[in-house]
Structures are given as structure tokens and as C-alpha cells.
Amino acid sequence: METVLRSLVYDDIRYMKEFFEDSDISSQFKFTKKPYSEKTLRDFVDNSNGDVDIHMAIEYDGEYAGTISLKNCDFVNKKCEYAIVLRKKFWSKGISKDASNKIIDYAFDVLEFNKVYLNVMSSNVRAMKFYKKIGFQFEGTFKKHLLIDNEFIDIDWYAIFNKKMEGQK
């Protein structure tokens, strides 16, 4: 079975709602803990392939498995932010790794970016272990950076660099 990245479609919305209903997933969201409205999710799909943000569906065995993104694309400074969320039934199957490698290759080979970065709550040990496994390197911690549920939390930053651009000025 192959992991495929494709454009998001409205039919994916019914599965996206699982992210907000599952506390194992939604508890790791930094900015949104409440369910999105149908309109908000439709707008997300409509705007998923823009100049600044690229959001793609991860499809596995013909089924929507999650969303993977390159956000805040900065073509001047050749960098973007990576994000991924996977439906729980698809965890621990190697899908996240395969999808991540594909979108990072896209960022480096097609968009010609030098850096792909991410930030994650310092308490999300499972995610940090995964990010390191696929080649992201820890860059630093922003202490008490976000206020979530009336508590200040730390955010860890990670990055991976385009080896083909090493030594370029």
C-alpha cells in the first residue's frame, strides 16, 4: 500500500472532524481546541493550495489518512513551516514518515527551499521523537511562549536543511 499526497477535497472534511473530537490529537494542537465549523473547514479546503500555505491530503490505501502542510512559505528567504496531523487509525504504520519525506522533498526539490522548520509543544514527546527520526534537528526552546488553557507553555523549534544548498551564498 502506498502513501499518496493529493489535493484536499470536501469529502475529506468528515474525517478532519475526527482531529477535534479525539483528545489524544486535539490536546496537542497549539492554536485550536474547539471544533471547526463546516464553513471554516470548507474554506480551509478552498484555500489549501495557495502561495503562502500548501495543505495536502495524505491518502493511504485510497482513504484520507490526514493532512500535511507547508505553511508560511517564504520564497525570498527560501523557508517554510511543516505541519502534519494523522487520523489515529493510521498511527504507527509508517505513513507519517513516508508523507513527510515526500513533502520535504517537494519543499527542497520543487520549491527550492533551504529550510523546513516546525514548532511543537515541549510536552509532545511522541511528536518530537518522530521529528528527530525523520531528520529534523532541535534548534531551541521559546519559554512560556503560548497561553493554553490558562497555562503558559514552552515551544520547541526544529529544522531540516536542504543538503543540495550547502555551501551556496
Side-chain angles (χ1 to χ4, degrees):
M1 294 183 211
E2 185 182 357
T3 305
V4 175
L5 301 186
R6 61 162 173 79
S7 296
L8 288 166
V9 295
Y10 291 139
D11 193 47
D12 297 331
I13 291 172
R14 63 184 167 137
Y15 301 110
M16 288 179 189
K17 291 178 181 180
E18 289 179 23
F19 303 143
F20 305 105
E21 295 167 0
D22 188 321
S23 63
D24 287 338
I25 298 172
S26 64
S27 66
Q28 300 306 320
F29 290 170
K30 295 180 303 243
F31 302 111
T32 305
K33 302 257 186 236
K34 298 176 184 171
Y36 273 67
S37 69
E38 185 80 19
K39 182 188 179 325
T40 302
L41 290 172
R42 289 178 76 82
D43 289 346
F44 179 79
V45 170
D46 287 340
N47 298 309
S48 63
N49 197 10
D51 293 333
V52 176
D53 296 327
I54 302 166
H55 306 286
M56 302 185 82
I58 302 167
E59 188 174 287
Y60 183 75
D61 197 24
E63 187 175 350
Y64 172 85
T67 300
I68 193 163
S69 305
L70 298 176
K71 306 183 302 182
N72 302 312
C73 292
D74 179 345
F75 290 90
V76 172
N77 295 297
K78 298 187 175 288
K79 64 182 172 133
C80 63
E81 181 180 359
Y82 156 97
I84 187 170
V85 61
L86 203 66
R87 293 171 59 205
K88 194 183 254 182
K89 75 182 256 181
F90 292 101
W91 287 10
S92 302
K93 297 179 186 273
I95 297 166
S96 292
K97 181 179 180 184
D98 190 32
S100 296
N101 287 333
K102 286 178 179 181
I103 205 157
I104 291 167
D105 286 347
Y106 179 80
F108 291 159
D109 298 339
V110 176
L111 300 179
E112 298 181 335
F113 286 158
N114 179 55
K115 179 180 184 176
V116 176
Y117 63 92
L118 65 89
N119 60 73
V120 59
M121 291 188 295
S122 298
S123 61
N124 194 344
V125 176
R126 183 177 190 272
M128 289 185 285
K129 186 176 178 182
F130 169 71
Y131 299 141
K132 290 175 189 174
K133 182 179 177 181
I134 62 171
F136 280 90
Q137 297 175 352
F138 176 74
E139 289 199 314
T141 300
F142 284 18
K143 298 287 188 181
K144 298 182 180 184
H145 192 66
L146 295 175
L147 182 63
I148 298 178
D149 295 331
N150 217 27
E151 179 183 347
F152 286 100
I153 62 159
D154 297 345
I155 297 294
D156 288 349
W157 290 80
Y158 288 81
I160 189 168
F161 294 90
N162 188 344
K163 290 181 172 76
K164 294 175 189 168
M165 296 186 101
E166 287 178 3
Q168 289 187 9
K169 292 186 178 189

